[in-house]
Structure formats: C-alpha cells, structure tokens
Amino acid sequence: MNGAELLVRTAKERGIQVCFANAGTTEIPIVMALDSVKGMRAVLGLFEGVCTGAADGYGRMTGRPAMALLHLGPGFANGIANLHDARRAATPVLNVIGQHATWHLRADPPLAMDIESLARAVSGWVRSNRSVETLSHDVSEAVNESLFGQVSSLIVPHDVQMAEVEDRKPEDVGFAFDPIDADAIEKAAKRIRAARKPALLLDGRALSRPGLDAATRISAACRADLFAPSFFSCTERGSGLPDVQRIPYFPEEAVSLMAGYDVVVIVAAHEPVTFFGYPGVRSHILSESQEKIHLCTKKADPVEALIALAAALDAPTRVTMSEPHNNRSGLPEGTLTAEKACLTLASLQPEYAIIVDEGITSGFTYYPLTVSSPPHSFMTIAGGSIGYGMPCATGAAIACPERPVINLQADGSALYTAQALWTQAREGLHVTTLICSNRSYKILQLELSRAGIASYGNNARALTDLKAPPIDWVSLARGFGVPAVSVDTAEALARELGISLAEPGPRLIEMVLT
Ligand SMILES: Cc1ncc(C[n+]2csc(CCOP(=O)(O)OP(=O)(O)O)c2C)c(N)n1
Ligand SMILES: [Mg+2]
C-alpha cells in the first residue's frame, strides 16, 4: 500500500463516495489509487470551478463532503470562487490538493506557489501533510472538520502519495458536534417569551426539514416569524413546510421589513448585512436596539439547538400545516418574460425537485411562488460569486440521482462554468438547465440606474451588454453533448420543460426573455 491508497481508503471509510477531480502529474498516485481502492466514484470536471462547485452542490444535498481533487496552486486557484460560495453556504467539502515532492519544492519549479495562503482564504481547516505516517489521521481530521459545515483543504506532497506504508486500518477520529448549552437555550427562551415581536433567522442545517419542523413549533409557541438571509445554502420548501421569508436584497426594503422585530434569534446564520455598502446606508440590517441572540456555536448542531428551544418554550409537538394547494399558480401565456418563466417553473416543478437558482435578476419573483408547491429543495448563490449554478446542479444530481434537478440559470453567470454541461452529459445526469437569456448583465444595468445613470456611455454598454454576437446556447449545449432547444413563449417553455422532466439525462432550454 502507498500513501495515495491510504488516503483514498481513509476517505472512503469516513463516508466519502465521490471525487470531483481535475488532476495533474502531482496527483497521479491518487488517480491510480481511485482504481486500486474500490468504491469511490471519480467524476471529471473540465475546469476546477466545476469540481469545487459540484462538491458544493453534493455537500448541500447530503450534508456530507465530496472530495475535490485539485492540481497544485493553479488548479486550486481555479476552484476558489466556487469554494467561496461553499464556505458561505457552510457546505462540508474536502479538498485534496497535490503538492510537488518535498525535495523538489525547494528548487521552486514552475507550478510552485503558496497553496496554503490560497487555501486559508476559503477553508476553515488547512493542513500541509508532511509524512505518510500522519496521512490517515490528517484525512480523517479533515473530514471531521468539514462536517462542522466548512471547507477542509489537505495538501499532500507527491512523494508522500508514493511512499510505501504497511497495510493498516485507516484512522477514524470520531466526530461529534459541540454540546448544546442548556443555559443559553433557557435564556433565549426567556427573552423570546418577553419579546413584543420575535423573529428567527435560519440558514444552513436550520433550513433542513428537521430544522424547519422545530422552527415551526417555535413559531407556533411564540408567534415568531421565520426568515432566511437573502442568499442561503439550501432550504426544504413547499407544502407541509413553513413559509420562510427571505430578507430582501436591496437595503431599504430589508431594513424596513426587519425593523419591527425587537428580538431576532439567529440560527446557523450570520447577522444580516447588506450585500454591498451604499453611501449613507448602514451595513447592518438590524439596528443596535434590536436584540440579536445567537442560539448556538458554529460547531454545535443547529437542529438540536432548535429542538431544545422548542422544548424550552413548551412548543406543541405537532403543528398542523395547511394542506398542499393544488390550484397551482396557473400557466402564463404569450411572449416569455422573466416573471412568466418563474411562474411556469413554479407551476410545473415536480415533487422532490432540486432547484438550483442562479437566475440573478430573472429569478427575483420565483421564491414567493413556491410556498405551496410540492415539497422540494431550493438552493441559492450563498456567497454571491457567480458561476456556481451549473456545477452545483451537477453535484446535486450526483448526490440525488433519483431526483430531477432544475437549474434556473442566468446567461452571464452560466458562461463562467458552462463546461459543467459536459460532465452532466457524460454522467447522464437528470438536470434541466433553464437559461435566462436576457443577453445582458442586467443586474449591473440596474445598479447603473440606481447610481443615477440615465444613458450609458459606450464603455458602460460594452461591459454590461451581451447582445452582439448573441450566445448560441443551443449549439453550445449540443457541443457539450447536451440536447437543447430555444423558446420565446411561455407555452413553448411549459411544453419543453415537461419533455425534459419526463426524459432522463440532461437538457438545456434557452429562454429568450423580453
Ligand atoms: C465571480 C464574480 N465575478 C463577477 C461578479 C459581478 N457580477 C455580479 S452579477 C454579474 C452579471 C450577472 O449577469 P447574468 O448572470 O446574466 O444575470 P442578470 O444580471 O442578467 O440577471 C456580474 C458580472 C460576481 N458577483 N462574481
Ligand atoms: Mg443576463
């Protein structure tokens, strides 16, 4: 057995089943070990951002890490933007990054760079392994750390991967969340009881079904309203689940919506701040006079904390939810707009669909339409770094092969990581990509108008307009092996979405929006 085999065996025994990889010479022993150690699925991403984004989507759906295997500093650097979104979504991810052989690194070969510094920017845990003797322990610890909802990055030199090691049992550093602080829960319960108008702000695992069930009970006990940040990791949603409102994106609306709450209990979320700093507008959405209670530490289980809070509030054990509505929103007709696309999707999305939203401006009206849709999972661009949607949809489809994935995907953002389509084709994944083809960076145009620009200069137009030449989405998708059509009416969208949902494998529908 060599180091690489010990690494793969340890990862596998700690529950890692998939490796999203783009390897190079320094990872060749690991590539070989993925065959000699049976049981891990290797999936090629044609750009490291596809691998890391897929690991994010996989982790959001399963709560467990996938491995992203990346080549030295440059390969890792290509994966960082999507690891940023994973970090903000508190997704468990295990990066394994190959490093030059220890003796060779001293010569400063061309691909050498400071990997640790890069890794620290997006990882909650970073280690450069130095010896095969500690490798199994390092892998096991990296998996554990990721389970707290963070990115773990382990850097492994080529000579350590090749080093012979006696056949040994992989180490298992036992995992446990931090215990819940019962006093803190009691105190929180007291303050909520005394509140005039309490709210709960949920993210991460608090938005899972058991988290939402506990939040529903709390809400029933003390009439707390439920909120999620504007952008969050992944929520369960639809009939039988509570209506969790999203804090609006633009600061004026966010501040005015939240102003009425005197006590806000924050669970697995950050204190809400505006996405950008606008002159004259404060960063924090909640004012100093509003009480903020962080229910548990980052390393505790937020679901357990919510259940404990429900108990402390003597919450009812069951809350009857409204019956699923069957009067779906109603299918729109005529020329396709972003609003009609959202309505069509909300009306047709099947039970257990996974919706990956990177619709940017085109997705604005979608979320409120789905409160009584059949139960589904919904994920957003948690860190605001665009190009996460297609890779994340790819990873989600690998995590949940029995569930249809629908990627509501803005056109500009899609072009950062469109290679993910090829992985979807190669792996036969049931992903429907709905391209919101508004042929612009529309959000930037909205920001230009907010900044008071009445007419664009040539350069402002050049930097926000994608009209000429128009991206040929149908050819592009077909070029990656994904069947595709273009539609410009709501009726055609409904028909094509129906076809795509009924057939296995990936499909892309370009929605030409007016
Ligand atoms: C990695 C990264 N690069 C650039 C940006 C800045 N940015 C935000 S949205 C956007 C363009 C969005 O265009 P598109 O995806 O077409 O959505 P639309 O605004 O048209 O709805 C850009 C460039 C970003 N957020 N992240
Ligand atoms: Mg666009």
Side-chain angles (χ1 to χ4, degrees):
M1 175 146 105
N2 66 17
E5 288 167 327
L6 181 59
L7 182 155
V8 174
R9 255 184 76 178
T10 308
K12 205 192 76 180
E13 294 206 4
R14 293 303 319 278
I16 295 189
Q17 298 173 348
V18 181
C19 174
F20 297 104
N22 192 293
T25 304
T26 41
E27 297 78 37
I28 288 295
I30 298 176
V31 171
M32 290 162 67
L34 286 167
D35 276 323
S36 58
V37 179
K38 303 281 177 245
M40 206 182 295
R41 177 174 178 186
V43 177
L44 177 60
L46 299 180
F47 171 69
E48 291 82 351
V50 173
C51 303
T52 54
D56 183 15
Y58 182 97
R60 291 196 206 191
M61 289 316 302
T62 59
R64 298 200 57 84
M67 189 195 295
L69 178 62
L70 306 164
H71 181 52
L72 292 162
F76 182 70
N78 279 340
I80 282 185
N82 277 341
L83 288 170
H84 165 82
D85 281 320
R87 179 176 86 88
R88 289 289 179 174
T91 310
V93 173
L94 171 65
N95 294 313
V96 173
I97 307 149
Q99 174 61 293
H100 284 296
T102 33
W103 53 269
H104 187 50
L105 194 57
R106 288 190 283 273
D108 191 26
L111 274 161
M113 65 151 81
D114 182 356
I115 306 174
E116 274 193 25
S117 291
L118 291 176
R120 272 197 206 95
V122 287
S123 314
W125 183 96
V126 181
R127 182 166 299 161
S128 282
N129 168 275
R130 313 230 178 259
S131 152
V132 75
E133 289 308 315
T134 58
L135 187 56
S136 186
H137 184 277
D138 287 349
V139 173
S140 194
E141 196 176 328
V143 171
N144 266 9
E145 288 291 330
S146 77
L147 291 172
F148 290 117
Q150 56 185 4
V151 174
S152 289
S153 296
L154 179 63
I155 303 160
V156 188
H158 188 236
D159 50 344
V160 172
Q161 297 172 36
M162 291 200 304
E164 286 301 317
V165 60
E166 80 281 5
D167 206 333
R168 60 169 80 173
K169 222 175 118 35
E171 288 194 33
D172 183 352
V173 187
F175 173 77
F177 284 115
D178 281 358
I180 298 295
D181 178 348
D183 285 349
I185 300 283
E186 275 304 327
K187 267 189 208 145
K190 227 186 223 157
R191 280 143 91 181
I192 294 169
R193 272 206 202 93
R196 187 173 40 74
K197 197 174 174 206
L200 258 62
L201 176 64
L202 312 169
D203 198 352
R205 299 184 60 248
L207 291 170
S208 65
R209 184 171 278 272
L212 289 173
D213 287 345
T216 306
R217 294 171 51 212
I218 294 166
S219 170
C222 63
R223 302 215 321 279
D225 289 337
L226 305 182
F227 289 94
S230 318
F231 299 102
F232 49 80
S233 54
C234 183
T235 191
E236 295 306 302
R237 185 157 170 84
S239 58
L241 289 154
D243 187 11
V244 178
Q245 286 191 71
R246 288 169 84 169
I247 296 181
Y249 174 81
F250 286 114
E252 302 80 0
E253 293 166 52
V255 168
S256 91
L257 178 68
M258 297 309 292
Y261 297 91
D262 57 338
V263 174
V264 180
V265 181
I266 301 174
V267 194
H270 294 274
E271 198 183 319
V273 295
T274 64
F275 215 74
F276 292 106
Y278 299 95
V281 182
R282 65 168 193 250
S283 300
H284 289 273
I285 287 164
L286 302 175
S287 69
E288 279 184 12
S289 64
Q290 292 174 281
E291 190 171 7
K292 299 121 207 146
I293 301 172
H294 289 271
L295 194 62
C296 60
T297 63
K298 272 189 72 174
K299 290 200 163 180
D301 179 1
V303 175
E304 201 186 328
L306 282 166
I307 292 171
L309 180 62
L313 287 165
D314 293 323
T317 46
R318 284 185 74 86
V319 180
T320 321
M321 305 293 289
S322 57
E323 286 297 306
H325 280 223
N326 277 335
N327 59 336
R328 302 286 201 79
S329 327
L331 285 170
E333 295 170 356
T335 316
L336 198 54
T337 59
E339 293 71 24
K340 289 185 198 174
C342 290
L343 204 52
T344 307
L345 172 58
S347 302
L348 295 183
Q349 63 183 60
E351 196 171 11
Y352 304 127
I354 299 168
I355 313 293
V356 178
D357 176 24
E358 193 177 35
I360 314 288
T361 58
S362 301
F364 278 177
T365 59
Y366 168 76
Y367 184 78
L369 301 173
T370 54
V371 62
S372 55
S373 291
H376 61 281
S377 305
F378 176 72
M379 54 180 97
T380 79
I381 183 165
S385 175
I386 62 177
Y388 102 103
M390 289 178 151
C392 211
T394 306
I398 287 186
C400 305
E402 70 293 353
R403 298 177 61 180
V405 177
I406 305 173
N407 175 200
L408 183 65
Q409 182 58 60
D411 51 359
S413 302
L415 290 164
Y416 286 60
T417 44
Q419 306 92 320
L421 289 172
W422 182 84
T423 303
Q424 293 173 13
R426 176 190 242 202
E427 301 290 328
L429 306 178
H430 194 194
V431 179
T432 301
T433 302
L434 300 176
I435 293 290
C436 307
S437 185
N438 58 16
R439 296 180 180 150
S440 62
Y441 286 167
K442 193 168 174 191
I443 185 93
L444 300 195
Q445 296 178 342
L446 289 179
E447 290 287 8
L448 284 167
S449 8
R450 274 173 64 86
I453 307 281
S455 66
Y456 300 159
N458 285 341
N459 283 340
R461 177 162 297 112
L463 298 187
T464 60
D465 189 307
L466 309 179
K467 283 194 184 62
I471 309 291
D472 181 350
W473 280 102
V474 172
S475 299
L476 198 146
R478 286 183 186 155
F480 283 126
V482 172
V485 290
S486 181
V487 299
D488 60 6
T489 65
E491 292 87 339
L493 173 60
R495 184 182 67 239
E496 292 299 333
L497 180 56
I499 293 172
S500 185
L501 289 168
E503 282 176 13
R507 268 174 87 88
L508 179 142
I509 303 171
E510 181 197 21
M511 308 187 298
V512 179
L513 303 176
T514 357

